[in-house]
């Protein structure tokens, strides 16, 4: 680069030493593959607000990809008796959840009159079909075999879901860690069918209660419990904001994918992933 060019760049506010020749070097856009990402929004109508609808859902899926990455790592660390590292991953999951929750505030700027202008463009597609969201639910212990039929048309997706369905959940491995520590956990819990949704057990509650009653002795397990509560708390807030945003925009219409819409979303808030961690609070 000539001195004259350097001087012109500095006059335009470009700091000295900034690399400007990328004929043979990777740029920021190359590293992030921005050409592909920014070319992935293809609204099917001419309505101004459909782009917002697409971007919100695409970014949510990107965040869910990161959540799955963190949950997988957390599960592996707990299995390997490295709970302290798992705590970091679970903290990050909670922060991601808060980001996704805030995205509903942006989507809520879409009015019913605006959404109805392009809703038919969605066809039968629906957020209900998000396979990444299902994987997250499976990782957290809410399993469902019938729901797998939705994904039977894509072998790769179905295989991913089956893997998450058939493996112990985050809570299952946490309970296994308690058993390794010497807590008396029922064999019905330790040897259960991983494809079934977890249900509360008295032996698990007794173990967690003992941990909360002697925090100093069981500090790492106490921290794990609270991180799990954080994840579930944020999950419930996520579900609530989703439900209220849908109600605000379409009322009680059925979802585009055929789901009952708001009544279904409301029913999901009744499920607890880690029931004993909530029940024991009354008994402390």
């Amino acid at each position: 680069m000539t001195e004259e060019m350097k001087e012109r760049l500095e006059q335009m506010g470009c700091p000295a030493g900034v690399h400007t020749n990328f004929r043979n070097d990777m740029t920021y856009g190359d590293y992030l593959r921005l050409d592909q990402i920014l070319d992935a929004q293809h609204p099917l109508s001419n309505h101004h607000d459909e782009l917002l609808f697409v971007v919100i859902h695409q970014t949510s899926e990107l965040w869910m990809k990161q959540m799955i990455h963190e949950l997988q790592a957390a599960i592996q660390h707990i299995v390997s008796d490295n709970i302290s590292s798992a705590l970091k991953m679970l903290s990050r999951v909670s922060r991601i959840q808060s980001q996704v929750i805030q995205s509903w505030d942006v989507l809520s700027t879409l009015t019913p009159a605006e959404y109805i202008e392009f809703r038919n463009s969605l066809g039968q597609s629906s957020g209900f079909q998000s396979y990444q969201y299902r994987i997250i639910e499976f990782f957290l212990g809410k399993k469902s075999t019938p729901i797998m039929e939705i994904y039977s048309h894509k072998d790769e997706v179905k295989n991913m879901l089956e893997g998450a369905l058939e493996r112990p959940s985050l809570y299952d491995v946490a309970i296994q860690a308690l058993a390794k520590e010497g807590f008396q956990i029922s064999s019905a819990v330790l040897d259960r069918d991983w494809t079934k949704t977890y249900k509360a057990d008295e032996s698990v509650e007794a173990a967690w209660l003992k941990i909360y009653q002697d925090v100093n002795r069981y500090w790492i397990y106490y921290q794990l419990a609270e991180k799990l509560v954080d994840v579930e708390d944020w999950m419930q807030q996520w579900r609530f904001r989703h439900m209220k945003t849908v109600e605000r925009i379409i009322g009680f219409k059925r979802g585009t994918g055929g789901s009952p819409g708001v009544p279904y979303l409301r029913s999901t808030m009744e499920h607890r992933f880690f029931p004993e961690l909530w029940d024991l609070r009354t008994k402390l």
Side-chain angles (χ1 to χ4, degrees):
M1 184 187 301
T2 67
E3 290 300 320
E4 182 182 353
M5 290 178 64
K6 289 180 181 179
E7 185 178 344
R8 287 177 59 190
L9 286 170
E10 289 181 12
Q11 290 174 349
M12 291 187 293
C14 186
V18 169
H19 195 64
T20 57
N21 186 344
F22 291 97
R23 289 184 178 84
N24 300 310
D25 294 323
M26 179 175 63
T27 67
Y28 170 82
D30 296 333
Y31 174 70
L32 295 178
R33 300 191 181 185
L34 287 182
D35 288 347
Q36 296 176 40
I37 294 174
L38 299 179
D39 190 43
Q41 297 76 43
H42 300 281
L44 299 178
S45 73
N46 292 321
H47 197 279
H48 172 83
D49 294 311
E50 189 181 355
L51 179 61
L52 169 66
F53 191 83
V54 172
V55 168
I56 288 290
H57 287 83
Q58 286 184 342
T59 52
S60 293
E61 290 292 335
L62 284 172
W63 279 126
M64 282 191 275
K65 180 176 182 177
Q66 186 66 35
M67 283 181 64
I68 290 169
H69 181 64
E70 301 298 340
L71 288 170
Q72 283 179 318
I75 289 171
Q76 291 168 0
H77 281 305
I78 294 172
V79 170
S80 302
D81 298 323
N82 186 12
I83 294 177
S84 59
S85 293
L87 300 179
K88 170 74 174 189
M89 280 73 183
L90 295 178
S91 292
R92 185 172 291 163
V93 168
S94 293
R95 298 299 183 273
I96 293 170
Q97 289 172 298
S98 71
Q99 290 294 311
V100 178
I101 291 167
Q102 289 180 39
S103 72
W104 292 117
D105 293 337
V106 181
L107 188 60
S108 67
T109 64
L110 181 67
T111 68
E114 291 164 344
Y115 180 53
I116 202 170
E117 290 293 323
F118 65 85
R119 188 175 190 238
N120 289 338
S121 299
L122 275 62
Q124 302 302 311
S125 66
S126 165
F128 182 81
Q129 300 148 12
S130 170
Y131 66 86
Q132 290 200 121
Y133 184 81
R134 294 299 167 199
I135 290 174
I136 291 169
E137 283 195 326
F138 288 1
F139 278 177
L140 297 181
K142 185 182 181 185
K143 306 291 185 77
S144 173
T145 301
I147 202 79
M148 296 291 290
E149 183 62 27
I150 295 176
Y151 312 100
S152 61
H153 66 294
K154 283 194 174 183
D155 290 340
E156 183 179 358
V157 170
K158 185 179 179 182
N159 290 339
M160 283 192 295
L161 280 159
E162 286 177 343
L165 179 71
E166 295 168 1
R167 288 194 294 269
S169 70
L170 172 66
Y171 198 45
D172 288 320
V173 299
I175 293 170
Q176 289 171 354
L178 298 185
K180 287 182 186 178
E181 181 64 18
F183 291 99
Q184 298 301 309
I185 304 297
S186 169
S187 59
V189 175
L190 298 174
D191 301 323
R192 75 184 193 86
D193 181 354
W194 307 126
T195 66
K196 305 297 184 183
T197 293
Y198 178 82
K199 293 183 180 179
D201 179 88
E202 289 183 0
S203 67
V204 174
E205 183 177 317
W208 286 124
L209 187 59
K210 189 173 182 180
I211 289 168
Y212 274 75
Q213 289 172 333
D214 196 349
V215 171
N216 291 332
R217 180 178 178 183
Y218 300 113
W219 177 249
I220 193 68
Y221 298 101
Y222 172 71
Q223 285 187 302
L224 175 60
E226 285 299 291
K227 294 300 181 186
L228 292 173
V229 170
D230 284 343
V231 169
E232 177 154 0
D233 192 349
W234 282 111
M235 199 72 179
Q236 292 290 57
Q237 293 184 56
W238 183 359
R239 287 166 159 175
F240 178 78
R241 288 300 300 134
H242 185 185
M243 184 267 292
K244 295 306 292 184
T245 302
V246 170
E247 183 178 0
R248 176 171 177 160
I249 296 175
I250 68 168
F252 283 79
K253 295 186 183 74
R254 295 190 73 86
T256 48
S259 74
V262 168
Y264 165 76
L265 295 173
R266 184 174 291 162
S267 70
T268 65
M269 292 189 291
E270 297 175 1
H271 177 78
R272 295 189 300 174
F273 295 100
F274 319 128
E276 297 89 351
L277 294 177
W278 296 95
D279 291 339
L280 68 81
R281 281 158 161 74
T282 305
K283 300 178 181 180
L284 281 173

